[in-house]
Amino acid sequence: MKADPKGVLTGVHFMDGDHAACEGALAAGCRFVAGYPITPSTEIVERFAARIPKVGGVFIQMEDELAASIAIQGGVWGGQKVMSVTSGPGLSLMMEHLGYAAMTETPSVWVDVQRGGPSTGLPTLPAQADMMQIKWGSHGDYEIIALSPNSPQECFDLMIKAFNLSEEYRCPVFLMMDEVVGHMTERVNIPSADQIDVTERKWTKKKPGEYKAFATTPEDLVPEMVKAGDGYRIHVTGLTHDERGYPAMDVPNQAKLIPRLLNKIRNNVHKLVDVRMDGCEDADVIVMSFGITSRVATAAIDAARAKGLKVGHLRLIICWPFPVALIQQLARTAKAFVVPELNMGQMVLEVRKALADVDRKVKVISVPHPGGTVHDPETILEQILEAAR
Amino acid sequence: MSESLDLHLASVETSLDNPVLPFLRQDRIPHIWCPGCGIGTSVNCFCRALSDSGLDLDKVAIVSGIGCTGRTAGYLNLDSFHTTHGRAIPFATGLKLSNPELNVVVYSGDGDLFAIGGNHFFHAARRNMDILVICVNNFTYGMTGGQVAPTTPVGPTQTTMPYGNFENPFNLPFIADACGATYVSRWTIYHVRQLAKAMKEALGKKGFRFIEVMSPCPTLYSRRNRLGDGVDQVKYYKEKSVIKNGVDTKEVGLGYQGEIVVGKFVDRERPTWLESMNAHYSHHFGDAFQPYGVKNGQD
Amino acid sequence: MAKTEIRVGGLGGQGVILNASIIGKAASIYEGKHATLIQAFGPEARGSACSAQVTISTEDIAYPYVKHPDVLVLMSQDAYNQFAPSLKPGGLVLFEEELVTLDGRLPEGARAIGIPATRFAEELGRRLVLNIVMVGFFAGVTGLLSFESVQKAVKDSVPKGTEDLNMRALEKGFEYGREAAATK
């Protein structure tokens, strides 16, 4: 279906990434946001609070991120599309409810404008060091989807994609921004509503009595949904549950539920791969990057190519699930991977893991950075030259 | 439940056509609660209240946190949400705001609502979020085996206060009152008629409403402190309860096995969060603002 | 590829960010170029150091930071002291001449043009429009942006009811800049 025009600020704007992300959420149909102020994400909720009265919906500033991250899930079961927005310390508080959203299959969008950490760290300066936290930070096994924009335009575009994926897979979806992208201002084209595809919630057509809230088929592991107030008398719990949603805390039910929650995403990794590749087919060295670092890497790659090196650029748009098969395919011809990221080496671990199953010897060079600013392109260039040696 | 307890609980009917049954998910019975536990009695009263309220039950949703009382959501035949520890209130906040036609009830225990969830309680009451919060107060953490709670009176032994509790407990009605609740009452599970009536009354009111239900935990509180079983606790409730409607909530704190002040303490009108938002934005934006959650011409 | 890197520096409250934002907006929305604005973001209070970086290019802008600006737009001595040494060889310094005194920090070969923007702003009625005078001055001297583009960008960036004042400020700076560029 197409976007509701009420939420779409059609036009050409000179806008920062935080504001563009908010406009993306409104265009995607988000009508309920619960948030808590935290630098450098606050502008997103500030804009939502200013815009929502006239669009029609609710913003509420909660008492903390624990509350914000569960209030949005109440919002989903009340029937709305929802989002919460945070940064490092707030993200840590949200981990419990990330698990709840995964367990209860509550479609929800979580925005993390990454700053330097750990703890209070660098509130106003960038990092990309929460990549593993979102994947592994809540207890137990779960899967998420995470997207990484590198410009205000992508904050808008990928926010819509995040909402659509959360509805399609009924899972938490992260928009992994960073301080630079959040506070960077560029041109943002917002198309008209009839040019924006939004995914409707997977509402059931079954009647009360024949509907089971968490029943799926082997072909489709994503259950159909209803909302409170529609007469279905659903039960939703974070406990291990059966198809009716009733607590069923035993080995067979755990063995049925948990693999399904993972496989509804893992079985679709091939569909979820979203990367930008530039010159990877015949490259000796492939630079893998995401978010703001992809723009810094581009400067380094241009410089390396000017020296006559065959360097490819693999940019992750969707970071989770990680495109293992693609890495393995690229490893058939490439000699080395160079992975710059604004952390001390997180996504590079996924590259190494993917290459563990590859027979050829392929070099992997991490270009870590403790955060606070972006890499100097020279630093990345040096590692590309090292990799090519 | 022992026979003598049944005698006290006049409203609990055990005949085959128990009027409470349609309100329960019968495919989930038997429940997990211990013999002599008062939570089930409170749920009976709640079912009575639902029945008497005349509400469309498709539009009533129940939200619980974690703990023994937290299991209530799972037994009621309503849209029901068993959330995370302490977070039933913020979940209920989101549910209510995204679907304002729902009558949202939070049903949880004292540890869940006032220890781990205390901050949420204060803020939801301050905002006058339009939800009813029912707290079954059994003075202990039952699910985890009898640890000290923020409501445990000074004196009794708990597994994490092995030599007796020396922390001061909360006075729950006073907190609710101070934070701005529109309705505050306390009853014990001895007072089944009054409790059911209070629940019905609170279901029909707007704003942040709070009912404290004193309830025995025979397994982990009473027996451990040589207070007998559930029946003995109900006897204590009967003997030591004093009804004082409208009394200052400052005066209703609970001591160990001391006097229990019960009654309706607060009943007032305040605009709810959504009413305030709608009024404020209507004033600010004029006709450009479409009141949220209000059906055209119907409400 | 035609790429111009600009650093705007001054004090919090002078409208440094708005100045840079108008330059970026005029380039990206009204001239169809690419523009990236990065602002130094911090818990900055009024009166403390404040700066913004704008890159304008005919092609996609990858690396968003400005290390060695082609143009410096300076509204405080601190900003001059901090950023003058980073100027690209042969670069241009546009400065508020009553707030900035040039010295030996200025790289050799740099072209520096001053404007009494604060005085102009005061003469127009409000000292606040200093930053808009500087926008006009930037456009007039560099010829990087057409007057029409900047005019449109100012119009949709300033508060309603202040458009006329801001237009006069823009014109004043622009005229002064054009003349100065022709003579200096």
Side-chain angles (χ1 to χ4, degrees):
Chain A
M1 76 190 248
K2 298 295 176 188
D4 170 8
K6 266 192 295 185
V8 183
L9 198 67
T10 303
V12 183
H13 308 270
F14 194 58
M15 193 180 262
D16 76 15
D18 279 349
H19 288 192
C22 174
E23 290 304 329
L26 287 166
C30 178
R31 296 294 179 267
F32 180 69
V33 169
Y36 186 79
I38 186 163
T39 305
S41 74
T42 313
E43 289 90 334
I44 301 177
V45 293
E46 285 173 342
R47 187 178 181 99
F48 195 89
R51 292 265 286 128
I52 198 63
K54 283 187 273 185
V55 173
V58 170
F59 169 74
I60 183 167
Q61 181 174 315
M62 298 301 288
E63 49 275 15
D64 56 33
E65 289 90 347
L66 290 159
S69 56
I70 195 75
I72 58 168
Q73 300 189 52
V76 172
W77 290 98
Q80 300 285 19
K81 290 190 178 181
V82 305
M83 158 178 89
S84 196
V85 179
T86 194
S87 186
L91 185 70
S92 292
L93 290 189
M94 290 185 174
M95 283 298 113
E96 180 185 18
H97 294 137
L98 172 59
Y100 190 77
M103 189 63 150
T104 56
E105 304 183 66
T106 301
S108 43
V109 171
W110 308 57
V111 183
D112 178 19
V113 187
Q114 294 170 90
R115 63 192 236 186
S119 190
T120 314
L122 300 169
T124 63
L125 298 171
Q128 298 178 311
D130 303 344
M131 300 306 294
M132 286 295 173
Q133 185 183 13
I134 56 163
K135 180 69 177 69
W136 305 106
S138 197
H139 54 278
D141 288 308
Y142 64 94
E143 284 285 354
I144 52 144
I145 298 172
L147 301 93
S148 182
N150 77 359
S151 68
Q153 180 69 53
E154 284 193 354
C155 289
F156 177 84
D157 296 338
L158 295 185
M159 181 66 98
I160 295 171
K161 181 163 181 161
F163 270 93
N164 289 349
L165 289 171
S166 79
E167 297 296 341
E168 186 178 348
Y169 291 96
R170 280 190 63 179
C171 70
V173 177
F174 277 88
L175 189 72
M176 295 303 281
M177 297 170 56
D178 61 72
E179 186 276 332
V180 182
V181 169
H183 287 148
M184 169 198 285
T185 306
E186 289 185 332
R187 180 172 53 220
V188 175
N189 283 304
I190 299 185
S192 58
D194 59 10
Q195 290 178 299
I196 299 173
D197 288 315
V198 301
T199 303
E200 203 179 349
R201 188 149 296 163
K202 202 170 170 179
W203 299 119
T204 191
K205 292 190 179 69
K206 295 198 176 81
K207 294 189 177 66
E210 50 188 56
Y211 171 75
K212 284 183 185 163
F214 295 91
T216 55
T217 62
E219 297 75 45
D220 184 358
L221 298 182
V222 181
E224 293 173 343
M225 208 167 167
V226 298
K227 67 177 197 292
D230 286 351
Y232 288 85
R233 310 286 181 93
I234 46 169
H235 183 60
V236 176
T237 177
L239 290 168
T240 297
H241 46 271
D242 62 19
E243 290 187 335
R244 297 169 299 178
Y246 290 1
M249 292 161 286
D250 53 33
V251 175
N253 277 291
Q254 178 81 351
K256 196 175 168 199
L257 176 63
I258 304 311
R260 180 175 70 71
L261 295 181
L262 305 186
N263 289 338
K264 69 177 179 179
I265 293 170
R266 289 182 182 175
N267 292 354
N268 289 302
V269 170
H270 58 287
K271 274 168 68 183
L272 284 165
V273 170
D274 190 353
V275 297
R276 300 282 180 276
M277 286 197 283
D278 170 29
C280 290
E281 20 341 289
D282 61 342
D284 293 323
V285 177
I286 291 175
V287 178
M288 188 193 87
S289 70
F290 56 94
I292 186 61
T293 306
S294 65
R295 294 177 63 153
V296 183
T298 300
I301 291 164
D302 287 347
R305 285 175 180 165
K307 292 179 190 289
L309 297 181
K310 280 164 91 181
V311 184
H313 192 183
L314 168 66
R315 190 190 145 212
L316 305 180
I317 304 289
I318 289 188
C319 295
W320 299 115
F322 187 75
V324 174
L326 176 67
I327 295 288
Q328 291 173 341
Q329 187 198 319
L330 292 170
R332 283 188 209 140
T333 48
K335 286 187 216 147
F337 285 86
V338 173
V339 186
E341 48 189 332
L342 287 183
N343 58 56
M344 296 309 285
Q346 296 191 8
M347 295 309 281
V348 69
L349 299 174
E350 295 302 306
V351 179
R352 293 192 206 279
K353 214 161 79 181
L355 295 181
D357 291 338
V358 173
D359 294 337
R360 284 184 73 224
K361 177 131 181 65
V362 183
K363 239 194 293 187
V364 179
I365 298 180
S366 171
V367 192
H369 191 298
T373 182
V374 296
H375 287 82
D376 188 330
E378 282 290 321
T379 313
I380 302 173
L381 176 63
E382 279 166 24
Q383 296 307 316
I384 295 173
L385 298 178
E386 173 68 29
R389 224 166 264 150
Chain B
M1 202 175 280
S2 72
E3 281 176 35
S4 51
L5 184 59
D6 273 352
L7 293 176
H8 284 283
L9 306 179
S11 74
V12 177
E13 295 173 32
T14 51
S15 64
L16 288 174
D17 52 347
N18 187 333
V20 155
L21 283 180
F23 298 91
L24 301 177
R25 294 184 190 273
Q26 292 170 46
D27 49 356
R28 290 222 58 224
I29 306 297
H31 56 67
I32 62 157
W33 296 314
C34 301
C37 168
I39 299 171
T41 306
S42 81
V43 172
N44 260 321
C45 294
F46 184 63
C47 294
R48 272 301 159 99
L50 286 174
S51 174
D52 295 347
S53 71
L55 290 170
D56 174 0
L57 297 188
D58 282 344
K59 304 297 179 193
V60 180
I62 184 156
V63 184
S64 288
I66 298 296
C68 291
T69 312
R71 290 302 184 85
T72 301
Y75 298 125
L76 284 166
N77 189 17
L78 301 167
D79 283 319
S80 54
F81 300 92
H82 181 228
T83 65
T84 53
H85 196 18
R87 320 299 169 204
I89 287 176
F91 184 98
T93 296
L95 188 62
K96 176 68 190 180
L97 294 182
S98 74
N99 195 349
E101 68 170 4
L102 295 175
N103 200 326
V104 178
V105 181
V106 169
Y107 211 114
S108 221
D110 49 305
D112 185 77
L113 286 167
F114 288 96
I116 189 166
N119 197 33
H120 308 308
F121 184 94
F122 307 148
H123 288 278
R126 171 181 68 79
R127 296 183 182 112
N128 202 23
M129 199 50 65
D130 188 18
I131 56 178
L132 164 59
V133 177
I134 296 169
C135 174
V136 176
N137 181 4
N138 60 9
F139 306 95
T140 191
Y141 282 83
M143 186 73 83
T144 49
Q147 294 77 33
V148 69
T151 46
T152 309
V154 173
T157 296
Q158 302 279 261
T159 59
T160 47
M161 281 288 184
Y163 311 108
N165 178 36
F166 53 81
E167 281 187 2
N168 270 316
F170 272 148
N171 169 353
L172 303 184
F174 182 41
I175 291 175
D177 183 6
C179 294
T182 57
Y183 181 95
V184 180
S185 70
R186 173 199 282 151
W187 298 100
T188 78
I189 59 129
Y190 167 74
H191 302 90
V192 285
R193 291 186 195 287
Q194 294 94 326
L195 178 57
K197 195 174 150 235
M199 286 170 162
K200 182 196 163 197
E201 184 178 30
L203 279 168
K205 258 188 85 77
K206 276 187 184 172
F208 188 88
R209 295 144 282 154
F210 177 65
I211 300 175
E212 178 185 3
V213 183
M214 276 179 71
S215 167
C217 176
T219 309
L220 297 163
Y221 184 81
S222 312
R223 275 207 284 274
R224 186 161 290 162
N225 288 291
R226 302 174 197 284
L227 301 173
D229 58 14
V231 179
D232 295 303
Q233 278 296 285
V234 173
K235 277 183 192 155
Y236 153 60
Y237 295 164
K238 181 187 173 191
E239 283 159 16
K240 290 288 184 75
S241 291
V242 187
I243 298 175
K244 290 185 184 172
N245 291 317
V247 72
D248 188 335
T249 53
K250 262 185 227 163
E251 314 297 326
V252 305
L254 296 168
Y256 186 42
Q257 294 296 101
E259 183 187 86
I260 305 162
V261 179
V262 294
K264 179 165 82 174
F265 307 135
V266 175
D267 189 350
R268 61 191 164 202
E269 304 298 322
R270 274 175 71 206
T272 68
W273 192 90
L274 260 187
E275 286 169 347
S276 298
M277 183 191 92
N278 279 332
H280 185 72
Y281 286 158
S282 295
H283 176 73
H284 185 83
F285 293 109
D287 291 341
F289 178 71
Q290 191 76 30
Y292 176 84
V294 179
K295 284 190 193 142
N296 288 335
Q298 287 181 20
D299 282 329
Chain C
M1 176 171 69
K3 181 169 160 185
T4 308
E5 295 177 292
I6 303 149
R7 164 84 71 172
V8 184
L11 301 173
Q14 279 183 324
V16 168
I17 306 298
L18 183 63
N19 174 298
S21 170
I22 289 168
I23 292 171
K25 187 186 269 188
S28 83
I29 296 187
Y30 299 112
E31 305 225 334
K33 293 176 181 166
H34 295 271
T36 300
L37 162 68
I38 297 252
Q39 46 184 293
F41 186 86
E44 285 144 343
R46 255 182 141 61
S48 64
C50 179
S51 82
Q53 307 164 46
V54 188
T55 306
I56 297 174
S57 174
T58 51
E59 288 176 35
D60 274 347
I61 297 162
Y63 186 73
Y65 285 93
V66 172
K67 282 183 174 174
H68 297 291
D70 300 288
V71 185
L72 277 171
V73 180
L74 302 173
M75 295 184 247
S76 78
Q77 190 65 37
D78 279 353
Y80 168 83
N81 294 349
Q82 191 184 346
F83 299 121
S86 69
L87 189 70
K88 206 171 272 178
L92 172 68
V93 179
L94 303 175
F95 63 103
E96 207 300 340
E97 64 184 33
E98 290 170 7
L99 301 174
V100 176
T101 308
L102 303 183
D103 63 12
R105 264 179 270 250
L106 200 64
E108 224 169 290
R111 190 169 165 229
I113 307 178
I115 178 174
T118 308
R119 181 156 57 77
F120 288 161
E122 282 167 353
E123 285 167 8
L124 288 163
R126 290 193 73 182
R127 198 194 165 113
L128 268 179
V129 295
L130 155 73
N131 60 339
I132 305 298
V133 177
M134 292 301 285
V135 171
F137 184 53
F138 170 87
V141 174
T142 63
L144 209 57
L145 304 166
S146 76
F147 183 75
E148 290 70 32
S149 303
V150 184
Q151 199 176 30
K152 286 181 199 158
V154 170
K155 263 188 193 148
D156 46 50
S157 303
V158 299
K160 284 215 158 49
T162 68
E163 292 93 339
D164 282 353
L165 172 66
N166 280 295
M167 280 308 124
R168 290 202 301 279
L170 182 71
E171 279 162 26
K172 185 76 190 174
F174 188 79
E175 291 306 322
Y176 191 87
R178 267 212 314 207
E179 278 170 35
T183 55
K184 288 181 190 169

